[in-house]
Amino acid sequence: MWNYSEKVQEHFFNPRNSGVLDDANGVGEVGSISCGDALKLFLKIDPANDTITEARFQTFGCGSAIASSSALTEIIIGKTIDQALSVTNQDIADYLDGLPPEKMHCSVMGAEALRAAIANYRGEVWTDDDHEEGALICKCFGVDAGMIERAVRVNKLNSIEQITNYTKAGGACKTCHEKIEEVLGQVLTAMAAEGAIDTIPAPSCPVAPSAPVHKPMTNLQKIQLITTAIEELRPTLQRDGGDIELVDIDGDTVMVNLRGSCVGCQMSSITLSGVQERLMMVLGKPVRVIPAQAA
Amino acid sequence: MRPVYLDNNATTRVDPQVVAAMLPFFTEHFGNASSMHAFGAAVGGALKTARQQVQSLLGAEFDHEIIFTSGGTESDNTALLSALETQAGRDEIITTSVEHPAILSLCDHLEKSRGVKIHRIGVDSRGCLDIEAYRKALSSRTAIASVMWANNETGTVFPVETLAELAHEAGALFHTDAVQAVGKIPMTLAKTEIDMLSLSGHKLHAPKGIGALYVRRGVRLRPFVRGGHQERGRRAGTENIPAVVGLGKAAELAALSMNDEQTRVKALRDRLEAGILASVGNCMVTGDVDNRLPNTSNIAFECIEGEAILLLLNKEGIAASSGSACTSGSLEPSHVLRAMNIPYTAAHGAIRFSFSRENTEQDVEQVLAAVPGIIANLRAMSPFWQGDGQASADFNPTYA
C-alpha cells in the first residue's frame, strides 16, 4: 500500500474539475495509454487578459496521477498564463503534501500537460508530439531530453533512479541509461556554470560497470587496471592526510596497506569498501579488498 | 464497512483451528525435537504427525519425502540449486516466462553469475505453455525443468504431470512450484513423475514463514541450508515446530475442504465473474478460463488503471490485487500479463480476485454492488474512454 498523504487521498476520492471542457481554447495531452498514464488538460483562457478562467482534466492513471491532475487545476484557475507557466511539478507535489518518490512522475505529467495546453492556446507546436530532432531519449515511455532537463532543473535531480521516478524515463528496458546519463551530465554542468548548484554532485546511483562482464582479461591487464585505479584514489586519501599502497593481488583478493591518518581511523573499513567498490567497477567483476596485515 | 477479503492468492487468514493446534507448542511443548528427554520426545511426535498430514494432502508415497522449509521461496531455491549440483554434466534450466520471482530472479542470477543457460518457455494469450518449445528445449544438457502447477495471477493450470514425463525422457529432473495449487487441486504425487514440489503454508491458512519441499525418494538432494542434522540432513536448523504443526493441521483441513474449494468456492468465483461481465462492458477474463484454479479470477478492465480501481475497492472494504504497474512501484504491467500479450490498455487495468473457503455469497454481492460504479467513475475520468463497446477499436495490442 502506498503511503499517500491525506491530501492525495482526498483529491483522488473527490477529484476537482474532472471531465471535458467543451469550449476549451487550450488543450494539452501528455502520456499515452500504452505507457500506463495519460493526462488531457482543458483550459478556458480569457483572451482579454490571458487569465485561466476554467480548467478541467481527464486522466488515465493511478491514484496519485488523478490527485495530481486535480491539484493542478486548483492551482492554475485564476492565474494568468505567465503565472501558470511558473508552476512546477514540485508545486503540485507540495500542494498535495508530497508524493512517494516513485510517484513523482505523476506531478511531472501535470506540469508537462500545463505547458502543452498553454502552447496549444498560443498556437505553438508542443514538443511532446515532435521528437524528430533525435531528442527522444526513452523510447519505452516517449520521454525527450527537454522533459528530462526540466525535471532535473526543477527538482535538482542527480541520478538515473531519480530521473526514472520523476519522468519514467529508463524505467522499462533500461537501454537508454547511457543517454540519460549524458543529458544529466550536460544539464548539471550547465546548472553549475549558471550558479544554480554549487558543484556537480557525484551520481548517487551506481552506474553499470563499463567493462563487459564476460570479457576475458589477462592477469597483466588486471594488475594494470588495479594499479591505475589505486593510483587514482591516492590523491583523495592524501587530501585527508592518509594514503593507500597496493601490496599484492591473489586471484580476486586485493591486499592493500592504509597509511598516514588512515591507520587506526575508525572509518578505515568504510574506506576499504569504497576502494573495493571502485575496483569492482573498473574490473566489472567482484573482488575483495583486505588489509595486507590480515592476509 | 464490512470487510471482504478477496486476495487469498497473496496470503490467507490463519485458520483458528490451526492457531489452536499451534499454541501448546510455544509454552507447553517447547522442547527441541533433537533432545534426548521427554520435552524433546513430545515434539518429535508432533513433527512426524505434521509430516504425515502434508504427505497425505500431496498423495506422496513416503512421509520422509516431505522436507519442512521456511516457505515457497526457500523450497524453490533448494530445488534448482540442488539439481545443478547433483546432475553431473548438465548445466541448463528450463522454466517459463510466467513463474513467480522465487524462480525467475534466481534464474536471472544463475544466468549472470554462473553462466547457467536458462530457457524461459513462453505462453500464449490464454497463458498456456508452448509445449513444443518446452519439448525442443529439453536436452542432455538439461539439469532440471521447473514449471509452476498453477499461475498466481491468472490461475491457469499447467500440465505438470505430462511435463514431468517429458523431462524424464530427456534424463532431466522435474520440479513444480505448486504454491498456488496445493489445497485447491487434488494431487497424488506417488502416481506422477514429479521429482520435487514446493508449497507454502500461508497460502493455505497456515502461518507465514513455513513451507515444504517434496523430494521423491531416490532423488539426490544437496542441502541449501547447511548445519545440523535436522530433516535427515537435508535442511539444517532447529525445526520451527509451532509453524510445522500449523502447516500439518492446515494440510489436514485443506484435504477436508478440497471438495468445497472445487464446488462452492468455484461457484462463488464464477458468479462474481459472470456478474461483472454482465454489468460492466469492455472487460475480459484473462488466463485459460476452462483450465484454472477454482478460486482465481483475473479481469482486465479497459481504459482505466488498476491501482485506482484497488483504492476505490478498498474504500468499499474490498481487498483485491492488481498486476498493474503502479501497484508494484515498477513502471510496467506484470511479467505474466506481458508474457500473455494482454493489450497494454487492458493490462494496466487488470484486477485479481482470489477466493478461499472463508468467502461467502454476501462477499460476492458486496463486490458486485461496488464494481460497476467504480469502473464507470474512473472511465468517466479517462481520456481514452469512448463509451461502451467503442473503446476496443482504439486498442493497440502490440507488445514490445
Side-chain angles (χ1 to χ4, degrees), chain B residues 30-91:
Chain B
F30 60 85
N32 186 325
S34 307
S35 301
M36 287 297 130
H37 46 59
F39 291 91
V43 169
L47 191 57
K48 185 162 179 67
T49 304
R51 210 181 298 283
Q52 289 167 344
Q53 286 164 322
V54 175
Q55 174 204 354
S56 167
L57 178 65
L58 300 181
E61 195 171 0
F62 305 100
D63 67 350
H64 61 72
E65 292 174 326
I66 312 299
I67 302 168
F68 291 112
T69 67
S70 64
T73 299
E74 185 192 323
S75 298
D76 286 345
N77 274 257
T78 307
L80 264 49
L81 293 170
S82 170
L84 286 177
E85 285 196 42
T86 59
Q87 296 277 87
R90 291 170 176 262
D91 56 358

Side-chain angles (χ1 to χ4, degrees), chain B residues 259-308:
Chain B
N259 187 43
D260 182 52
E261 197 76 51
Q262 296 271 320
T263 56
R264 188 187 62 87
V265 174
K266 180 173 184 292
L268 289 177
R269 190 272 314 265
D270 290 346
R271 211 173 123 185
L272 176 79
E273 207 164 81
I276 289 177
L277 292 177
S279 60
V280 179
N282 292 78
C283 58
M284 61 191 271
V285 176
T286 73
D288 188 2
V289 175
D290 301 319
N291 186 29
R292 51 186 175 146
L293 294 173
N295 79 319
T296 308
S297 175
N298 189 303
I299 303 180
F301 297 95
E302 296 177 337
C303 298
I304 50 178
E305 199 279 327
E307 186 206 285

